[in-house]
């Protein structure tokens, strides 16, 4: 039923989404900026007009939009460069396109806003974040303990779509307040092979239990276990769920040229993602033993976030802006909590540790207007949220430095196009610790994103 709901919403309104071979340009699971205006200015957007995308940053900025209706249609296209290296053997696994739902990653944007008098209302469809990796089934990541080739894939695709219903109100000529309530859909594809040493580490530390644990331990020569739930479709995922989220915000004009902004996004409340899955025990003597059943990814939430921002209009042409954000990952991402129940009733529960740290991000941007053109540039710097000893090859969210540029072109008073380019500069991180890796690995990740949107005002 869930897939039947999400498919017409997304494919009926926008482009299909195909996952790419690495994380979207983001801080961990979240995109850098929402909409091309914010993205081109390093992700800043709390204290100036970023158009309809303000619904996902600071809904009070909707009061800065022109009077009347505005239709927003756009997409981000992401190109990734991700490499995982076995530091013992020198072997390399690159994330590439190996199946039909992992081509260039196109993330859609669609929104409508209406500004009349002191009130502005908006509704939209925006991606909040995501991940996609595809290492195929013949790299060192697909070898179980003892070098046993399995032919099983290692891949991931997480997509979070927000459907915000937002409103803002101009209290007076200085103060505006806003809020949004979001319907959230979240879908996950996963193919993950754990070596026997990883399975043993999880059991020994109390992170794996259930009636399937002694079954795995009773195999004559267990080399690993693989969990897979993947749908090769543009949006529909192996496991998915619906939930709610939202945010509140305000803007305050200190002077005619300077505006302060603040916004708080609440931690999401998304149901456990559920779907059909196969757990495959890999044994050197009896071969592969697949068990079909149901998987649950429990309490996988998007974190709360606090944004504080300032914008200053230097003159008729130049505007500068800055945001500082605190993202509360620690409360949202302690573990990946996986439950599997086989069709015969046997079960296993696994806690893969993440232990994310809260993250601070600084976004800086500038805009220059001349004639019908507005040129933009920016940068973003973040602290590292992911400890190296919990790095997973299928979830390498490690980039911390970003550069951006873009422009708007006003075709007429009613229509314009916005474009942004964002570069996440290459970052390296290593992990040689159980249970999240068997072989010692280093991850190297860089990425480019291009965002394009068309706005029509009437």
């Amino acid at each position: 039923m869930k897939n039947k709901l999400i498919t017409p919403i997304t494919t009926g309104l926008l482009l299909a989404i195909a996952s790419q071979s690495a994380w979207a340009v983001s801080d961990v699971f979240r995109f850098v900026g929402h909409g091309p205006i914010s993205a081109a200015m390093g992700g800043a957007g709390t204290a100036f007009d970023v158009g309809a995308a303000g619904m996902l940053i600071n809904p009070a900025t909707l009061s800065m939009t022109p009077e009347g209706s505005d239709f927003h249609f756009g997409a981000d296209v992401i190109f990734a460069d991700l490499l995982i290296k076995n530091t013992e053997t020198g072997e390399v696994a690159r994330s590439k396109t190996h199946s039909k739902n992992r081509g260039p990653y196109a993330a859609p944007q669609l929104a409508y806003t209406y500004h009349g008098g002191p009130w502005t209302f908006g509704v939209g469809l925006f991606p909040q974040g995501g991940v996609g990796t595809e290492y195929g089934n013949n790299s060192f990541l697909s070898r179980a303990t003892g070098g046993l080739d399995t032919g099983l894939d290692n891949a991931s695709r997480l997509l979070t779509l927000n459907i915000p219903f937002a409103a803002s109100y101009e209290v007076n000529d200085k103060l505006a307040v806003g809020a949004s309530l979001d319907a959230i859909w979240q879908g996950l594809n996963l193919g993950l092979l754990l070596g026997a040493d990883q399975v043993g580490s999880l059991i020994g530390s109390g992170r794996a239990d259930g009636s399937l644990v002694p079954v795995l331990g009773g195999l004559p020569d267990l080399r690993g276990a693989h969990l897979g739930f993947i749908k090769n479709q543009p949006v529909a995922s192996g496991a998915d769920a619906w939930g709610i989220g939202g945010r509140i915000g305000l803007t305050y004009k200190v002077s005619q040229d300077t505006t302060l902004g603040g916004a708080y996004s609440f931690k999401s409340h998304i149901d456990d993602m559920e779907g059909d899955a196969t757990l495959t025990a890999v044994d050197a003597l009896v071969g592969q033993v697949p068990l079909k059943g149901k998987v649950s990814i429990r309490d996988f939430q998007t974190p709360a976030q606090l944004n504080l921002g300032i914008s200053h209009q230097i003159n008729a042409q130049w505007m500068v802006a800055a945001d500082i954000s605190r993202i509360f990952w620690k409360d949202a991402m302690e573990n990946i909590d996986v439950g599997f129940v086989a069709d015969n009733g046997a079960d296993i529960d696994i806690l893969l540790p993440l232990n994310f740290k809260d993250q601070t991000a600084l976004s800086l941007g500038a805009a220059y207007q001349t004639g019908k053109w507005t040129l933009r540039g920016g940068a973003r710097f973040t602290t590292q949220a992911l400890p190296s000893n919990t790095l997973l090859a299928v979830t390498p969210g490690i980039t911390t430095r970003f550069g951006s540029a873009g422009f708007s072109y006003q075709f007429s008073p009613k229509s314009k196009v916005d474009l942004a380019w964002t570069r996440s500069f290459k970052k390296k991180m290593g992990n040689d610790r159980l249970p999240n890796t068997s072989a010692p690995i280093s991850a190297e990740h860089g990425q480019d994103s291009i965002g394009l949107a068309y706005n029509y005002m009437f």
Side-chain angles (χ1 to χ4, degrees):
M1 178 64 179
K2 296 171 184 175
N3 288 340
K4 291 180 180 178
L5 285 172
I6 189 63
T7 300
I9 289 174
T10 51
T11 59
L13 293 174
L14 252 237
L15 312 171
I17 300 171
S19 182
Q20 161 70 352
S21 54
W23 292 76
V25 179
S26 59
D27 302 330
V28 191
F29 295 122
R30 288 195 165 186
F31 285 101
V32 173
H34 295 285
I37 295 176
S38 173
M41 296 184 65
T46 306
F48 64 98
D49 180 14
V50 296
M55 285 185 262
L56 283 192
I57 303 172
N58 178 4
T61 62
L62 295 179
S63 291
M64 300 177 177
T65 60
E67 292 267 343
S69 296
D70 184 6
F71 176 73
H72 172 100
F73 175 87
D76 294 293
V77 181
I78 295 133
F79 308 90
D81 181 8
L82 178 62
L83 179 149
I84 305 295
K85 183 177 181 179
N86 183 326
T87 57
E88 274 188 349
T89 66
E91 295 172 281
V92 167
R94 286 189 179 274
S95 188
K96 299 179 181 178
T97 299
H98 291 278
S99 55
K100 64 183 178 182
N101 73 326
R102 280 181 264 278
Y105 184 6
Q109 305 165 21
L110 180 67
Y112 169 78
T113 61
Y114 174 75
H115 185 173
W119 285 97
T120 306
F121 300 96
V123 60
L125 170 68
F126 292 95
Q128 185 173 359
V131 57
T133 61
E134 177 58 88
Y135 302 107
N137 56 14
N138 58 7
S139 76
F140 74 89
L141 295 173
S142 293
R143 287 205 299 265
T145 300
L148 180 65
D149 289 325
T150 67
L152 298 168
D153 62 351
N154 278 263
S156 65
R157 188 188 73 185
L158 173 71
L159 178 65
T160 304
L161 290 176
N162 278 40
I163 304 171
F165 300 85
S168 65
Y169 180 74
E170 297 172 79
V171 178
N172 51 47
D173 59 357
K174 291 182 177 293
L175 177 65
V177 295
S180 72
L181 177 65
D182 299 359
I184 302 175
W185 177 85
Q186 189 166 256
L188 177 66
N189 284 341
L190 183 66
L192 177 63
L193 176 66
L194 300 174
D197 53 349
Q198 293 175 272
V199 175
S201 176
L202 289 166
I203 294 172
S205 60
R207 290 183 166 273
D209 59 29
S211 60
L212 279 172
V213 169
V215 175
L216 292 173
L219 290 172
D221 192 2
L222 180 69
R223 297 296 183 89
H226 179 272
L227 181 64
F229 48 98
I230 291 177
K231 283 189 177 180
N232 282 319
Q233 297 178 16
V235 175
S237 301
D240 66 355
W242 283 88
I244 60 171
R247 62 199 52 80
I248 55 174
L250 60 84
T251 60
Y252 184 78
K253 292 185 72 68
V254 179
S255 68
Q256 185 64 31
D257 299 321
T258 304
T259 302
L260 302 177
Y264 183 81
S265 296
F266 298 95
K267 179 182 175 182
S268 66
H269 293 276
I270 303 173
D271 291 340
D272 297 343
M273 289 184 282
E274 298 178 342
D276 297 327
T278 300
L279 179 67
T280 303
V282 179
D283 188 271
L285 295 179
V286 301
Q288 297 184 10
V289 183
L291 292 173
K292 294 190 178 298
K294 300 287 185 181
V295 70
S296 297
I297 310 298
R298 306 182 183 106
D299 197 28
F300 199 93
Q301 306 297 334
T302 61
Q305 178 169 327
L306 175 66
N307 288 348
L308 299 174
I310 184 171
S311 68
H312 179 67
Q313 193 74 40
I314 298 174
N315 53 39
Q317 293 179 305
W318 281 99
M319 187 268 283
V320 293
D323 280 11
I324 188 165
S325 305
R326 186 68 170 171
I327 305 116
F328 300 100
W329 288 108
K330 184 177 180 180
D331 182 53
M333 288 290 165
E334 182 179 359
N335 301 289
I336 300 178
D337 187 347
V338 182
F340 175 80
V341 180
D343 290 342
N344 63 9
D347 68 310
I348 189 170
D349 295 306
I350 299 172
L351 285 175
L352 287 169
L354 292 178
N355 299 324
F356 280 11
K357 297 176 287 187
D358 291 344
Q359 186 181 44
T360 300
L362 174 65
S363 297
L364 304 171
Y368 175 78
Q369 185 174 357
T370 175
K372 294 183 177 182
W373 293 89
T374 302
L375 309 179
R376 301 184 179 91
R380 184 175 175 92
F381 309 91
T382 74
T383 57
Q384 183 59 257
L386 177 67
S388 63
N389 61 8
T390 60
L391 173 68
L392 276 163
V394 293
T395 57
I398 59 176
T399 51
T400 58
R401 296 180 299 118
F402 310 85
S404 62
F407 66 82
S408 293
Y409 182 77
Q410 195 82 39
F411 293 106
S412 71
K414 291 187 175 183
S415 67
K416 69 168 183 169
V417 64
D418 305 315
L419 184 140
W421 165 76
T422 304
R423 172 64 180 172
S424 61
F425 297 102
K426 284 189 177 180
K427 178 80 174 179
K428 292 183 179 180
M429 179 181 284
N431 185 17
D432 59 1
R433 304 277 292 274
L434 293 169
N436 285 10
T437 187
S438 180
I441 60 172
S442 68
E444 181 178 305
H445 175 215
Q447 197 146 305
D448 293 282
S449 173
I450 296 174
L452 181 66
Y454 174 77
N455 291 272
Y456 182 75
M457 290 147 276
F458 55 97

